[in-house]
Amino acid sequence: MKNIKACLFDLDGVIVDTAKYHYIAWKELANELGFDFTLEDNEKLKGVSRMTSLDILLSIGGIELDEDKKLELATKKNDNYLQYILKMGPEEILPGTKEFLEVLRKEHIKIALGSASKNAMLILERLELTGYFDAIVDGTHVAKAKPDPEVFLQGAEKLGVAPTECVVFEDAEAGVEAALAGGMKCVGIGSSEVLGKAHLVVDGLHKMSIQKLGLLD
Ligand code: BG6
Ligand code: MG
């Protein structure tokens, strides 16, 4: 590997499928507020911060609330979501993740997390993956959410590498845009219809290899 010195990973949807738990918790909140929240609606929340997710949900229900009430509802949703997160274990790590992280380690490629979630540390602990990461940047560290590149730029800085030496793994369109805006290479995890701007799109980390990473070098 000539230029690639680090890989930065989004968490939700790349390393673990938390979207199903977000969905249950948001749906419960919507139902309490008197409207339905579909799986299709849930797609709009991928990669989006907690408060922006709430704004999207409220706009679906046609509800306007003041900031205090919104904070109260976001906290309520998160408390509900945490019940599911706290039951998670390493068996929920998405296929190929550990194997790919091991390969990167062997190749001396640095590893960072770049997530919008404020629960990222807790989730990594539950999955027993914390030790793999040389740097962790999450929703508690950044002022600007994806598609702003802040989360990934902070990651590169913490690792001591240039953005051009980084490859980002992302499942959300906003995340791909963030990586590109930061001057990084990006591997989309999911469908090329949604993630077409990425340099490479694969179904999941189980489809990654050092050879494929080399194509971006
Ligand atoms: C992102 C998820 O990783 O984190 C979003 O894709 C979520 O769906 C966001 O809204 C914030 O998560 P949290 O855990 O801080 O509520
Ligand atoms: Mg994601």
Side-chain angles (χ1 to χ4, degrees):
M1 216 63 67
K2 287 192 308 282
N3 297 310
I4 297 173
K5 303 248 185 320
C7 286
L8 282 70
F9 294 86
D10 173 47
L11 176 66
D12 298 312
V14 172
I15 288 175
V16 63
D17 176 21
T18 45
K20 56 186 180 216
Y21 303 131
H22 279 297
Y23 176 59
I24 298 171
W26 283 128
K27 190 179 168 68
E28 240 177 79
L29 184 69
N31 292 167
E32 272 175 38
L33 293 169
F35 62 94
D36 198 22
F37 183 72
T38 66
L39 265 174
E40 201 184 331
D41 294 330
N42 197 52
E43 285 301 305
K44 299 180 193 136
L45 310 188
K46 288 191 176 170
V48 175
S49 74
R50 191 182 306 168
M51 291 312 287
T52 307
S53 296
L54 178 62
D55 283 337
I56 295 171
L57 180 123
L58 292 175
S59 77
I60 291 168
I63 293 177
E64 275 184 42
L65 297 171
D66 62 33
E67 283 308 307
D68 285 353
K69 185 70 189 167
K70 282 205 263 185
L71 276 175
E72 186 192 314
L73 293 183
T75 304
K76 189 173 181 184
K77 180 266 170 180
N78 195 56
D79 289 346
N80 191 0
Y81 174 66
L82 284 178
Q83 286 183 38
Y84 299 96
I85 295 308
L86 289 168
K87 285 186 203 134
M88 287 197 325
E91 68 284 353
E92 296 213 30
I93 301 170
L94 285 172
T97 304
K98 263 187 136 165
E99 292 79 355
F100 189 55
L101 293 174
E102 295 282 358
V103 165
L104 295 177
R105 264 189 172 178
K106 226 186 258 168
E107 297 286 327
H108 304 292
I109 293 171
K110 290 182 178 172
I111 301 171
L113 190 86
S115 168
S117 174
K118 293 186 169 162
N119 297 305
M121 288 298 290
L122 175 67
I123 295 170
L124 285 183
E125 285 295 324
R126 296 297 316 159
L127 301 177
E128 296 174 16
L129 285 178
T130 315
Y132 281 98
F133 292 86
D134 301 301
I136 293 173
V137 185
D138 65 24
T140 65
H141 301 110
V142 295
K144 288 172 270 174
K146 300 170 190 175
D148 189 281
E150 184 181 5
V151 68
F152 296 131
L153 292 176
Q154 272 198 36
E157 201 181 325
K158 276 196 179 180
L159 293 176
V161 300
T164 50
E165 296 170 327
C166 297
V167 177
V168 169
F169 293 81
E170 254 296 345
D171 72 311
E173 200 180 359
V176 172
E177 284 169 12
L180 300 183
M184 300 176 177
K185 297 267 168 48
C186 187
V187 177
I189 303 289
S191 98
S192 42
E193 265 171 49
V194 187
L195 307 171
K197 289 182 199 151
H199 295 89
L200 173 73
V201 180
V202 293
D203 288 345
L205 292 177
H206 60 294
K207 292 285 171 69
M208 275 309 294
S209 61
I210 201 71
Q211 287 77 15
K212 276 195 191 158
L213 192 66
L215 297 176
L216 306 174
D217 203 23

